[in-house]
Amino acid sequence: MKNIVAANWKMNFDIDKAQSVAQKMAEIINTKAVDVVVCPPFTHLDRLDEVFSSSVIKLGAQNMHFEEKGAFTGEISLAMLQSVGCEYVILGHSERRHIFYEDDEFINKKVKSAKKHGFNVILCVGETLEERKNGRAFDVVKTQLQKGLDGVDRQNVIVAYEPVWAIGTGVSADRDTIEEMHKFIRRSENDVPILYGGSVKAKNAAEIASIDDVNGFLVGSASLDADEFKKIIDEFIKTKGV
Ligand code: PEP
């Protein structure tokens, strides 16, 4: 099973700051034990492609549109992403689902299109706090997986379990919650790496990595700092013994 640690920079950094953080990452991250992916804003991809060209770090996008080209104002196609060296794409992130109202059918179209273009797809799933409180966490994740991956072969598919209530809060889900949900996902997704995301940092990375079905992390805020991101990768590698 492939292990992946991915950085989701969201809507942060101007181009110069992005370049300097990326340059530092390229200097200090040399591992081949895990796939390291950085997903900056669209406008920074081209420059970061150059920065990462002689490093182990791969480039990812935070979103895309499923159509090939045409009258889709404000959107970015897969061919455009490919032309700036992108190999990964994050889809179904909870911020896309909740702020931009993307539903499972729409996400499924993106997953299919991204796969057709040979991208590695990181499909995010996860329940809100309300859904968890109502005892619906497993149903919600099951539906997101079933609909998001409907008609999709699992090659180059990565699932990221990101409980919405743990994203950007500074407090990750606890060990039992992560273990239980990753096991649940594993039952239907045998051969797919399952990442955990939600307030991962250097301090909690080893504990989360010690859970069997955690095959990596999707890291938001903590990935904005090159040293912190490297520490998270190191903790993962050390704990897994990979
Ligand atoms: C994310 O948004 O994918 C994420 C995991 O964010 P954070 O690490 O900041 O919780």
Side-chain angles (χ1 to χ4, degrees), residues 134-153:
N134 293 336
R136 296 186 48 233
F138 294 100
D139 279 351
V140 167
V141 168
K142 189 175 167 188
T143 303
Q144 289 173 341
L145 282 173
Q146 275 176 350
K147 292 191 172 175
L149 295 176
D150 184 39
V152 173
D153 79 68

Side-chain angles (χ1 to χ4, degrees), residues 8 10 93 95 162 166-169 197-200 218-222:
N8 176 12
K10 309 194 188 188
H93 190 278
E95 286 147 21
E162 298 207 307
I167 295 180
T169 59
S199 298
V200 173
L218 181 54
V219 189
S221 341

